[in-house]
Amino acid sequence: MPFSHRFSAMTQSSRIGFISLGCPKALVDSEQIMTKLRSEGYDLVPTYRDADLVVVNTCGFIDAAVEESLDAIGEALRENGKVIVTGCLGSREEEIRARHPQVLKITGAHAYEAVVEAVHEHLPPAHDPFIDLVPPEGIKLTPRHYAYLKISEGCNHRCTFCIIPSLRGDLVSRPVGEVLQEAERLVTAGVKELLVVSQDTSAYGVDRRYRTDFWNGRPVKTRFYELAQALGSMDAWVRLHYVYPYPHVDEVIPLMAEGLILPYLDIPFQHASEHILKAMKRPGDTSNILARIRKWREICPDLTIRSTFIAGFPGETDEDFEELLDFLDQAQLDRVGCFAYSPVEGAKANELPGAVPEEIKQERLARLMAFQEDISAARLASRVGQRETVVIDEVVEEGAVARTRYDAPDIDGQVFIDGATHLKVGDRVEVIIEEADEHDLWAHLAEPLATP
Ligand code: SF4
């Protein structure tokens, strides 16, 4: 789940090394901090040795991510010595200081100004900021052809396994005009796919009471549906991530059927047993969810659904787990991720009775993944022989590595096109799917369609 990026650039003047850990939302934070620093004339450098100071953007979502973040801070201290820490784990300053007392400054998530101030304090900016060195879309850690678009911070839910609301606070949506302007800038700069991210995408605007804002002089409500519709009018693929299963999600399915936004929903269901969902403080009506999924597929037959689940949540019985497998069987989801429940420090779920022994959690996790593998493999096999548009993400010695509209970068499957080394990253081409396994596809380039 968590991934890291190290930024590279030419070096001169005050030089910053940047380590970015965690989810796409943290990645967007990193991009914004780096854009700000670059606009002030700092150079961003690829090695500890070249840097005058290192910023580590941490993740604190699960214990493994906390460990990875603490290790990264330790490495930066050993190799460089001057380290500023920011990001989700930053809200647990004592824990960081206990392991690494020599860190210069610790700031929490979404605290750009505080990070930049700390950098100013320990490494003053150069006098002549090279503002013109910053591209109009800012500094991106993703390849040029796709970009994450963060629409809000925080979350109003209180799922008992999650500490994000205590780390990042309640939902704060960005005004829709600002989000759409950023999206437009990205598309003008060559971005061909916008990945909409937040903690809770479908709640967008609820904190602003769906206030009307302006985009290019046109009134637009700060609301999930209107945002999806406006993004859909731009010349880019639009993919919705982290969609909480509210009833109003149904409204965007026709936009997918019309081809305005991608027929793709990343919607974490987490479980299917009503009493486990209740213990998680998640919406609990599974038969209703199954009926909605059926309806969505009637409206938009090629809808791809990705979801995540937790196995071995406190109190989960064999029957609950069987119910979850039964749900997967009926829902026929395309892509599924699953975690064995791990008690995150500070999460309410830790106080729940009925902790599931580790070996049973692992066994259920393995069973669920094996069960879903067959479903995913069958769904992908049904695409063999089809003609599909793919985007090229990478060109390697053997050929091109691409993605269909039904797959998000980093988390979903890929399409391998043997020998297509003449293609360029970001190209969109037509292919015929030849082969599939439970995750990826193999294809050859399609002949152009005859014009009438
Ligand atoms: S909706 Fe997501 S971010 Fe919000 S509390 Fe639940 S799991 Fe955490």
Side-chain angles (χ1 to χ4, degrees):
M1 200 210 30
F3 54 95
S4 72
H5 293 260
R6 279 156 208 255
F7 183 81
S8 63
M10 291 298 292
T11 140
Q12 251 190 23
S13 63
S14 298
R15 298 159 308 176
I16 309 275
F18 206 104
I19 297 177
S20 181
L21 303 167
C23 64
K25 287 151 285 195
L27 186 74
V28 174
D29 289 344
S30 294
E31 289 174 346
Q32 285 174 341
I33 298 165
M34 289 163 68
T35 299
K36 180 80 179 115
L37 290 172
R38 191 72 186 102
S39 74
E40 291 183 350
Y42 288 95
D43 277 337
L44 297 159
V45 295
T47 64
Y48 292 120
R49 203 191 50 234
D50 293 333
D52 299 313
L53 180 153
V54 177
V55 178
V56 183
N57 189 6
T58 57
C59 175
F61 185 49
I62 53 170
D63 290 351
V66 171
E67 258 322 295
E68 189 191 9
S69 294
L70 289 170
D71 286 352
I73 297 167
E75 185 183 283
L77 281 167
R78 257 191 330 276
E79 301 293 326
N80 181 278
K82 290 179 87 178
V83 176
I84 290 172
V85 175
T86 184
C88 278
L89 190 62
S91 64
R92 288 150 69 172
E93 177 157 2
E94 276 175 22
E95 208 173 315
I96 301 173
R97 291 245 174 251
R99 180 93 78 94
H100 303 301
Q102 57 293 41
V103 162
L104 295 176
K105 178 89 186 173
I106 299 173
T107 69
H110 203 47
Y112 316 131
E113 293 82 4
V115 183
V116 173
E117 245 172 58
V119 171
H120 289 169
E121 196 183 312
H122 295 280
L123 188 66
H127 286 303
D128 177 18
F130 300 109
I131 287 168
D132 52 335
L133 293 181
V134 178
E137 75 279 19
I139 288 171
K140 313 270 7 129
L141 288 165
T142 47
R144 208 185 128 132
H145 61 290
Y146 65 82
Y148 292 100
L149 182 69
K150 184 149 83 170
I151 58 169
S152 61
E153 258 305 325
C155 179
N156 287 346
H157 295 285
R158 295 294 180 262
C159 304
T160 52
F161 54 82
C162 177
I163 55 165
I164 283 177
S166 65
L167 294 176
R168 298 197 162 219
D170 280 341
L171 179 79
V172 179
S173 303
R174 295 174 62 197
V176 72
E178 187 186 303
V179 173
L180 292 173
Q181 264 172 29
E182 182 184 338
E184 233 176 3
R185 254 196 326 271
L186 289 166
V187 173
T188 308
V191 166
K192 294 177 175 169
E193 179 174 353
L194 296 165
L195 304 140
V196 178
V197 294
S198 68
Q199 311 297 342
D200 179 3
T201 294
S202 37
Y204 178 65
V206 71
D207 55 309
R208 295 188 165 265
R209 295 170 191 268
Y210 308 125
R211 193 178 308 148
T212 299
D213 196 13
F214 289 89
W215 171 50
N216 293 338
R218 210 181 89 200
V220 187
K221 281 197 165 172
T222 303
R223 192 162 62 178
F224 178 56
Y225 177 82
E226 281 80 356
L227 173 73
Q229 198 180 33
L231 289 173
S233 70
M234 296 182 194
D235 186 18
W237 284 359
V238 176
R239 195 181 295 283
L240 302 178
H241 286 283
Y242 312 113
V243 175
Y244 191 88
Y246 295 102
H248 70 264
V249 171
D250 300 7
E251 292 172 12
V252 298
I253 307 295
L255 299 181
M256 297 180 181
E258 285 164 33
L260 220 56
I261 60 173
L262 290 178
Y264 181 96
L265 257 192
D266 173 6
I267 184 159
F269 294 120
Q270 309 297 6
H271 213 282
S273 145
E274 268 180 41
H275 101 262
I276 294 295
L277 286 167
K278 211 162 154 210
M280 288 177 166
K281 290 214 168 133
R282 304 271 310 177
D285 190 350
T286 302
S287 52
N288 181 30
I289 297 242
L290 285 169
R292 285 171 71 199
I293 291 175
R294 273 193 290 276
K295 188 88 201 149
W296 294 344
R297 288 195 172 128
E298 268 166 37
I299 299 168
C300 181
D302 64 342
L303 174 68
T304 292
I305 305 176
R306 147 168 284 277
S307 193
T308 45
F309 296 89
I310 297 174
F313 190 77
E316 186 189 67
T317 61
D318 285 343
E319 292 71 44
D320 294 320
F321 183 68
E322 292 302 327
E323 227 176 283
L324 175 51
L325 295 186
D326 187 51
F327 172 83
L328 289 177
D329 191 30
Q330 294 191 59
Q332 293 288 302
L333 306 175
D334 299 270
R335 305 279 184 191
V336 164
C338 183
F339 301 97
Y341 173 73
S342 104
V344 178
E345 201 187 314
K348 281 263 177 285
N350 302 343
E351 296 155 23
L352 294 172
V356 177
E358 194 54 39
E359 63 280 11
I360 298 187
K361 280 190 223 166
Q362 294 303 332
E363 190 216 317
R364 287 180 185 167
L365 167 67
R367 261 184 78 198
L368 188 149
M369 290 317 284
F371 189 83
Q372 176 62 34
E373 230 167 56
D374 290 345
I375 298 172
S376 297
R379 291 190 71 79
L380 284 180
S382 71
R383 284 160 61 188
V384 172
Q386 282 182 10
R387 184 184 181 102
E388 286 184 15
T389 305
V390 297
V391 60
I392 307 300
D393 279 337
E394 207 185 338
V395 180
V396 293
E397 219 175 286
E398 302 83 13
V401 184
R403 226 171 0 97
T404 69
R405 303 171 335 134
Y406 311 109
D407 296 292
D410 285 326
I411 52 173
D412 294 330
Q414 295 176 312
V415 184
F416 300 101
I417 315 168
D418 263 358
T421 50
H422 61 288
L423 297 172
K424 289 194 302 301
V425 170
D427 282 354
R428 278 196 206 157
V429 292
E430 301 273 302
V431 297
I432 305 291
I433 307 294
E434 284 171 344
E435 219 185 304
D437 65 10
E438 67 285 353
H439 202 250
D440 299 312
L441 298 165
W442 284 259
H444 64 262
L445 292 174
E447 298 294 328
L449 287 173
T451 39

